[in-house]
Amino acid sequence: MQKDKFLEIFNNCVLSKLIFKHVKSINLIICKDSSRFSWSELVSYPFAMAGNFYLNELKQYYSDHSIYPYLNQTFKAAIKSRNLEILKYLVEMVKPISKTKYTQSVEFNIFLCYAAEFGNLEIVKYISTEFEKKQLNYRYALNKAPLSGDLEIVKYLNEKLESCDQLKMCTEPNKDTDDVSFDNAAKMGRIDMIEWLAENRSRDREGNNMHYTAILGGHLHVVQYLLDIDEPISTTTQTMYGTLLDYSIYCNQLEITKLLHQRNLRESQSTAIDYAASHGNIPMLKWLNENTTVSASVKAMDNAANNNHLEVLKWLHQHRTEGYHDSIVQTACYKGYKEIVQWIYENLPSKVHSLREINEAVCSGNLELVKWLIANQTERPDTWAIDSAASKNHMHIIRWLHENISISISAEVMDSAAKHGNLAMLIWLNENSSEGCTEQAIIDAIGYNQFETMKWLKENRTEISSLKQLYLDDMYPPNTEFINWILDNFEINLTEMLNNLVLNDRAEMVDIIFTKYPNIHFDEETITYAFKNGLIRMIKWFHENNIQDVFNDKAMISSIDGMQFLLVKWLNENRSDCRCTLEALRLSIATGHMEMIEYLVNKHPELVNQLTNQEQFLKFYYMNNDDELVKFLWDNINIPLENKKIFIKMCEELILPNKLKSKWSGVTNGYETTTTT
């Protein structure tokens, strides 16, 4: 939110009180994915910052983090929020990177698809323009465009695709998708889009599944339209749900089901009544039972019970004869559906197994159901069920069982209470159970950030207070308070923990360990990982503390290999022991990161003249349709004339002459492509 608007709203006491009273509900409406972040979490995730308009914080994040983790999510968040300022910042970061995949990759086509589906026309045009040289797959984006609900986006992407068609480029169907633009238009309920596509993209219409996607979207008018124009119905799609009629029932669309039945599309290949039972749709069930011959199976009653549809269960029992599965009551117990369980006990007694139901109810954590089952039978839950309830933090169940039927409690119960930070339950167990806990209790408390639980276990349980060594494996404490306490109270594998902290870029915690144990060793593989993945904060800590055997030529090569340009630049400017060797320069060319290549070429012109066989890189990128990078290398790398001729000859032998001519004319700066020796 912009600061001036924020102040205008929150300085109004009435609005402020209303907002904070209903802040959770407002958030669920605005953020349909229900993503909520604390401030510390928000500034740790670039996609959260991009989606919530925090540009300055995003810039700060990328000043000491690699751009590659979360990159797709961050672009998607910026596009969905339609924040052009943040989007422009992200685009400028990735533009110098080649589209050819290497160790790291940038999915330019995915960005265009996000824009086509979630953005607006301005964003779609911006992405198309800025990444024009990346040979974007407009066909893939056009497939997504109807989902935006904006016909102008569809038209614009079609124009771009038609332009590509004329140049014999970008026309190959994407291997990950078929032509589904018609299907998505039907899914959105847009007859106008279907008609426009029919007029302008008729070649994409063959084999469409519009009837199915219109049903999925619940668009009766579109299904009516498709039937009126006699659109062929796909015979190969959605076969797992049966026929078109079956699929309408599966999607819980009664009016569409009636329409199909009216149009004599009555064939059924599935037990479609099972679907209606799952939805709890009694009007659908009644209509199907009275007007069609579609069948059911034992899954119908199972589905009703599994989804807590008691009235459907009663109706099926009265009007259908298919029966039910033996495990019908167990699933209901596991889900905690007390009324369903009671009805089954009264009406389907042959399917009651006593012990199984109690075990499942205990696992579900439904206390009222557990009480009812215990009162109506003599069986008692097994130990494994009690342990399972503890693992899910259903401590109220365990306490009630202990107080009312004197169950035995295993050590795993106290371990689970520690894992969930349930200190009140730990204290109760300490007073009421003799089983105690295991070392796993404190390990889980550390792993799940339960600091007060850790301290209580150490002070109150002899199993923990007597421990000298603690084996954390690949875990590490979440903050400095945790790690100081652990170091003061236990012996641990410091090398393993230290390397784990490095891998997670936790420089502040590495500093604590290193201050206490300055002779500790960093593994070579860990150091390599830090450079390759751009853990800039960690690397700066190595630099400030003059850690030995970290900075060398291998560090530069690892940084280049990971396409970590900011880190490469920092190393070149701050560490003379991290040289750019000939091997490093060749590797940079192999990555295809144009800004990094240009930077290293300008900084180390003495190495450029030593490069050989660069035509192999030209060939590789040309074969991958990366003309932008080919031109960049042609203009910036000293390639002997003879080698250029060799490269052109290879292209002529590998690629059709008309494609070579249309694509190559702007690359060679006027060099005659037919001149070969």
Side-chain angles (χ1 to χ4, degrees):
M1 178 180 286
Q2 297 176 8
K3 186 176 180 181
D4 57 340
K5 291 182 180 179
F6 179 89
L7 293 175
E8 183 179 347
I9 293 172
F10 284 92
N11 283 337
N12 184 311
C13 61
V14 176
L15 283 176
S16 181
K17 286 180 180 179
L18 278 172
I19 289 170
F20 281 104
K21 181 179 179 181
H22 301 287
V23 65
K24 187 172 182 180
S25 300
I26 293 170
N27 179 76
L28 289 173
I29 294 171
I30 297 174
C31 303
K32 293 183 175 57
D33 60 357
S34 302
S35 298
R36 295 183 291 275
F37 299 94
S38 66
W39 179 254
S40 62
E41 290 174 328
L42 186 139
V43 295
S44 298
Y45 297 113
F47 56 85
M49 289 177 269
N52 290 281
F53 303 87
Y54 287 100
L55 178 58
N56 291 332
E57 288 75 10
L58 188 65
K59 289 180 178 179
Q60 179 60 42
Y61 174 88
Y62 280 127
S63 69
D64 56 8
H65 288 83
S66 170
I67 69 169
Y68 299 107
Y70 311 116
L71 186 59
N72 283 359
Q73 291 169 269
T74 305
F75 261 89
K76 184 176 181 179
I79 290 168
K80 289 184 74 171
S81 67
R82 300 190 176 183
N83 189 316
L84 196 57
E85 188 179 10
I86 287 179
L87 184 59
K88 287 180 177 179
Y89 168 71
L90 295 172
V91 165
E92 289 304 312
M93 281 202 311
V94 301
K95 271 180 72 174
I97 302 174
S98 164
K99 77 179 184 68
T100 307
K101 292 184 179 180
Y102 187 63
T103 306
Q104 309 281 4
S105 64
V106 176
E107 303 289 349
F108 297 103
N109 287 322
I110 296 295
F111 302 158
L112 182 60
C113 286
Y114 289 154
E117 183 174 357
F118 303 115
N120 53 30
L121 184 58
E122 181 184 12
I123 288 176
V124 172
K125 287 183 176 180
Y126 175 72
I127 292 288
S128 298
T129 301
E130 293 300 310
F131 296 145
E132 183 179 9
K133 295 181 180 180
K134 306 297 182 184
Q135 289 196 12
L136 295 170
N137 191 321
Y138 292 104
R139 180 186 295 274
Y140 192 8
L142 181 59
N143 283 338
K144 294 287 186 180
L147 297 175
S148 70
D150 188 339
L151 182 57
E152 294 306 311
I153 291 178
V154 175
K155 291 179 178 179
Y156 174 78
L157 289 171
N158 180 63
E159 290 175 5
K160 300 296 288 185
L161 181 55
E162 290 294 329
S163 176
C164 285
D165 286 346
Q166 293 172 12
L167 296 174
K168 308 297 182 186
M169 295 158 55
C170 309
T171 59
E172 298 83 2
N174 188 284
K175 65 181 180 180
D176 297 323
T177 182
D178 297 319
D179 290 317
V180 293
S181 53
F182 280 88
D183 297 345
N184 283 332
K187 183 179 180 180
M188 296 299 293
R190 295 292 296 272
I191 294 175
D192 60 331
M193 279 190 186
I194 294 172
E195 292 179 337
W196 188 92
L197 288 167
E199 183 177 347
N200 295 274
R201 300 291 306 177
S202 59
R203 58 191 178 279
D204 298 341
R205 190 171 187 169
E206 183 178 356
N208 74 80
N209 304 302
M210 284 191 284
H211 295 84
Y212 286 95
T213 54
I215 291 171
L216 179 63
H219 301 301
L220 176 66
H221 69 291
V222 177
V223 178
Q224 175 80 61
Y225 166 79
L226 294 171
L227 295 176
D228 288 344
I229 65 173
D230 292 324
E231 183 71 25
I233 299 173
S234 171
T235 58
T236 60
T237 305
Q238 307 292 352
T239 53
M240 66 180 294
Y241 304 116
T243 64
L244 201 63
L245 183 75
D246 294 330
Y247 191 64
S248 69
I249 300 168
Y250 171 80
C251 292
N252 201 26
Q253 300 294 338
L254 177 56
E255 294 307 313
I256 295 177
T257 302
K258 290 179 179 179
L259 172 64
L260 295 172
H261 190 266
Q262 179 187 353
R263 292 297 191 92
N264 291 318
L265 295 170
R266 303 176 180 182
E267 182 185 2
S268 175
Q269 298 174 351
S270 180
T271 51
I273 287 179
D274 297 353
Y275 304 145
S278 180
H279 295 302
N281 192 334
I282 291 182
M284 171 82 86
L285 286 166
K286 289 180 178 179
W287 188 87
L288 291 173
N289 200 50
E290 295 168 1
N291 296 278
T292 74
T293 59
V294 296
S295 61
S297 73
V298 292
K299 288 184 179 179
M301 289 190 71
D302 290 349
N303 289 344
N306 293 347
N307 290 281
N308 204 20
H309 299 313
L310 179 58
E311 294 306 313
V312 172
L313 196 61
K314 293 177 181 178
W315 187 91
L316 289 168
H317 187 56
Q318 182 178 354
H319 294 89
R320 303 293 302 192
T321 61
E322 287 81 9
Y324 35 81
H325 195 271
D326 286 347
S327 62
I328 184 172
V329 68
Q330 295 169 41
T331 304
C333 285
Y334 179 75
K335 292 189 174 183
Y337 299 151
K338 182 182 176 183
E339 290 185 347
I340 296 286
V341 173
Q342 289 175 327
W343 185 89
I344 293 174
Y345 264 66
E346 294 169 4
N347 295 275
L348 312 175
S350 65
K351 299 306 174 188
V352 174
H353 300 90
S354 300
L355 180 57
R356 295 182 187 177
E357 283 84 67
I358 288 183
N359 285 335
E360 297 293 355
V362 168
C363 292
S364 77
N366 189 310
L367 182 57
E368 293 306 311
L369 178 56
V370 171
K371 289 180 180 179
W372 186 86
L373 289 168
I374 293 292
N376 284 274
Q377 53 185 285
T378 59
E379 300 285 358
R380 296 298 178 258
D382 290 326
T383 301
W384 70 263
I386 295 168
D387 291 346
S388 177
S391 71
K392 298 172 184 175
N393 203 27
H394 299 323
M395 298 300 178
H396 59 297
I397 296 287
I398 295 168
R399 187 165 182 169
W400 186 89
L401 289 172
H402 179 76
E403 293 173 348
N404 289 273
I405 62 172
S406 302
I407 59 166
S408 60
I409 299 176
S410 70
E412 283 75 11
V413 174
M414 185 172 279
D415 291 351
S416 294
K419 173 181 177 179
H420 294 284
N422 195 333
L423 194 53
M425 189 65 187
L426 279 173
I427 294 171
W428 182 87
L429 289 168
N430 192 51
E431 296 171 352
N432 292 275
S433 172
S434 60
E435 288 299 322
C437 64
T438 70
E439 183 180 343
Q440 192 64 38
I442 194 163
I443 291 175
D444 284 343
I446 294 169
Y448 287 85
N449 305 351
Q450 309 295 351
F451 189 49
E452 294 304 317
T453 300
M454 288 164 48
K455 293 192 293 184
W456 185 91
L457 288 169
K458 180 70 174 175
E459 294 167 1
N460 294 276
R461 295 304 308 181
T462 56
E463 304 97 321
I464 305 302
S465 61
S466 61
L467 284 174
K468 300 299 182 183
Q469 290 185 321
L470 202 57
Y471 298 96
L472 297 180
D473 296 327
D474 59 348
M475 294 170 54
Y476 62 88
N479 57 46
T480 55
E481 185 179 27
F482 270 67
I483 199 166
N484 276 318
W485 185 87
I486 290 170
L487 291 174
D488 290 341
N489 288 275
F490 298 99
E491 295 177 10
I492 58 175
N493 187 329
L494 290 172
T495 300
E496 184 175 347
M497 177 179 284
L498 187 72
N499 284 287
N500 254 327
L501 292 168
V502 172
L503 294 176
N504 286 276
D505 205 15
R506 301 301 299 271
E508 72 285 0
M509 296 174 70
V510 170
D511 188 66
I512 292 173
I513 294 179
F514 195 78
T515 299
K516 292 187 175 183
Y517 306 97
N519 296 321
I520 200 165
H521 174 68
F522 295 92
D523 289 346
E524 184 178 352
E525 294 80 5
T526 301
I527 299 300
T528 299
Y529 178 94
F531 284 98
K532 190 170 183 177
N533 289 274
L535 307 184
I536 299 176
R537 289 185 301 175
M538 197 65 253
I539 290 165
K540 287 182 177 179
W541 183 89
F542 291 141
H543 170 71
E544 292 164 1
N545 290 273
N546 196 28
I547 305 300
Q548 299 300 307
D549 301 322
V550 170
F551 296 96
N552 47 44
D553 295 352
K554 185 176 180 181
M556 177 64 81
I557 287 175
S558 296
S559 302
I560 291 172
D561 191 34
M563 297 173 66
Q564 306 295 343
F565 174 56
L566 286 179
L567 180 54
V568 169
K569 191 175 180 180
W570 185 88
L571 290 173
N572 194 78
E573 295 171 357
N574 293 276
R575 298 293 309 199
S576 59
D577 45 1
C578 293
R579 299 175 304 150
C580 177
T581 62
L582 185 61
E583 178 188 358
L585 184 58
R586 285 183 62 85
L587 181 60
S588 73
I589 296 172
T591 67
H593 193 303
M594 290 184 289
E595 192 172 7
M596 184 166 66
I597 299 168
E598 187 172 27
Y599 174 81
L600 293 173
V601 165
N602 291 335
K603 286 290 182 180
H604 304 283
E606 75 283 357
L607 296 176
V608 178
N609 294 329
Q610 300 178 43
L611 289 170
T612 58
N613 298 323
Q614 295 313 296
E615 64 275 6
Q616 297 300 320
F617 288 115
L618 293 177
K619 174 186 173 183
F620 172 77
Y621 290 124
Y622 191 71
M623 292 298 293
N624 282 278
N625 291 317
D626 205 335
D627 299 340
E628 182 182 20
L629 186 54
V630 172
K631 187 178 188 305
F632 173 82
L633 294 176
W634 189 278
D635 293 340
N636 291 275
I637 303 297
N638 293 332
I639 303 175
L641 179 60
E642 285 301 313
N643 289 356
K644 289 184 177 181
K645 292 178 179 179
I646 294 171
F647 166 60
I648 295 174
K649 182 174 178 61
M650 285 190 297
C651 290
E652 290 176 333
E653 292 173 350
L654 290 166
I655 303 174
L656 293 175
N658 62 334
K659 185 174 182 181
L660 178 68
K661 183 176 180 180
S662 65
K663 293 175 64 179
W664 191 246
S665 58
V667 173
T668 58
N669 291 328
Y671 185 79
E672 181 57 51
T673 61
T674 58
T675 303
T676 58
T677 60

